[in-house]
Amino acid sequence: MAKKIEQSTAGDKAAHNGDTLREPAEKIFAREIEALIAADKDEAPPGWKMSPRAVLTYICGGTTGTTKVVQGTAGTTEEQVRYTWNYAMLIARGPSREALVRSPILRAMETGSLARFEEITRCASEVQDAMISLLSEKRISIPELETEVPAKKGFSVIATANTRDRGVNDMSAALKRRFNIVVLPTPKTIESEIDIVGKRVRDLTVNLGLKARIPAADAIEKVVTIFRELRTGQTLDGKSKLKTPSGVLSTAEAISVLANSMALAGSFGSGEVTAQDLAAALQGSVVRDEEKDRVVWQEYLSNVLKKRGSEWRPLFNACSEHND
């Protein structure tokens, strides 16, 4: 019988031991990966531990490696994508293989394995462009050593990007052509988004050692409802159109709001998340542009939250107080 692959908290226990704030996904879900490898009947490419079909199952879930990682930021340089030098050795001995500091991408090419480029669109355009020749020629030239490093079979790059983020550097058409683009939409239903947010909040409670009780189910539902409505520009019933704030208001930010409210409740409150804690976290997430977003948020509070009855009244009052 095939094994069900789920990202369950039971399977995550090993990742929560020790002092590490957050382990990489390959360690958090090590048990799931081991189960996939054991059940994998398809051929794995050279240098891979799983077949592409098994990798897809791991990412998307279903039945039944560690990668090198570059974290993309506005400060990521081309050297972090290709290579740099141990300058003490470089000055003492000149260019040599011993003085060469290989990037995760270069190490993946040498070993014929996977490399992961997180948030590639946060990098400057010239840094992204460094990937074009690398992915086309499958080799890195090192002029200082008068050599080049070809990629071994199995080398591949998985890049991620959040296209909803503001201020990102969009990938050029030339770079996009060198990737197979897969778009992961926001959760289709509010129920699935609530499930995702609830699970991640429970995980963060353990990882961060938050000294507050997990918010009640209705509090999670309220935050997700607010984010979905402001994100889509209409109420859930579709009867009212809404102005949208400048922020992204993604599922990840909803998780952050709840985690922040727990931090406030644990550090300054009784340990029970209150409407005041949620309102303080919501204010910082929704109101990014003081002039525009404050007005948008106030209109939403007055025209939507205020009319939702007594169950929403404490949160409405707290949010209105913070937005004054």
Side-chain angles (χ1 to χ4, degrees), residues 198-221:
K199 180 190 179 304
R200 285 295 297 131
V201 169
R202 290 191 293 273
D203 291 345
L204 285 173
T205 301
V206 178
N207 290 343
L208 302 178
L210 297 175
K211 302 184 183 304
R213 285 179 284 280
I214 296 172
D218 66 319
I220 296 175
E221 182 177 353

Side-chain angles (χ1 to χ4, degrees), residues 249-267:
L249 300 182
S250 63
T251 304
E253 288 203 37
I255 295 167
S256 179
V257 163
L258 289 159
N260 289 343
S261 67
M262 291 179 66
L264 290 171
S267 299

Side-chain angles (χ1 to χ4, degrees), residues 99-287:
L100 187 69
V101 179
R102 295 163 173 79
S103 71
I105 301 290
L106 178 53
R107 287 189 280 114
M109 293 178 72
E110 289 179 321
T111 57
S113 56
L114 286 172
R116 193 168 74 234
F117 202 136
E118 295 282 1
E119 300 288 358
I120 191 171
T121 54
R122 289 193 173 277
C123 299
S125 299
E126 56 268 23
V127 176
Q128 294 184 34
D129 288 345
M131 293 292 296
I132 294 177
S133 61
L134 187 152
L135 293 173
S136 295
E137 304 299 329
K138 300 295 191 294
R139 59 187 61 235
I140 288 181
S141 175
I142 307 176
E144 297 88 343
L145 298 180
E146 298 182 354
T147 188
E148 59 182 16
V149 178
K152 290 186 177 180
K153 288 184 177 180
F155 167 69
S156 190
V157 176
I158 299 175
T160 66
N162 187 344
T163 55
R164 290 186 59 86
D165 279 351
R166 304 295 194 270
V168 299
N169 303 295
D170 194 22
M171 295 168 63
S172 67
L175 184 55
K176 286 181 179 178
R177 284 198 301 271
R178 287 156 175 82
F179 285 101
N180 295 319
I181 306 296
V182 179
V183 178
L184 300 178
T186 54
K188 188 173 183 181
T189 66
I190 187 171
E191 291 79 14
S192 61
E193 188 165 4
I194 290 172
D195 287 342
I196 292 170
V197 172
K199 180 190 179 304
R200 285 295 297 131
V201 169
R202 290 191 293 273
D203 291 345
L204 285 173
T205 301
V206 178
N207 290 343
L208 302 178
L210 297 175
K211 302 184 183 304
R213 285 179 284 280
I214 296 172
D218 66 319
I220 296 175
E221 182 177 353
K222 285 182 173 65
V223 171
V224 172
T225 297
I226 291 170
F227 270 49
R228 285 182 76 90
E229 291 183 329
L230 288 174
R231 188 169 66 222
T232 59
Q234 64 178 10
T235 53
L236 292 183
D237 57 16
K239 293 181 179 179
S240 301
K241 297 293 183 182
L242 305 170
K243 293 180 181 178
T244 57
S246 59
V248 178
L249 300 182
S250 63
T251 304
E253 288 203 37
I255 295 167
S256 179
V257 163
L258 289 159
N260 289 343
S261 67
M262 291 179 66
L264 290 171
S267 299
F268 303 103
S270 63
E272 189 81 35
V273 174
T274 66
Q276 285 289 340
D277 298 321
L278 288 174
L282 280 167
Q283 183 73 19
S285 183
V286 176
V287 180

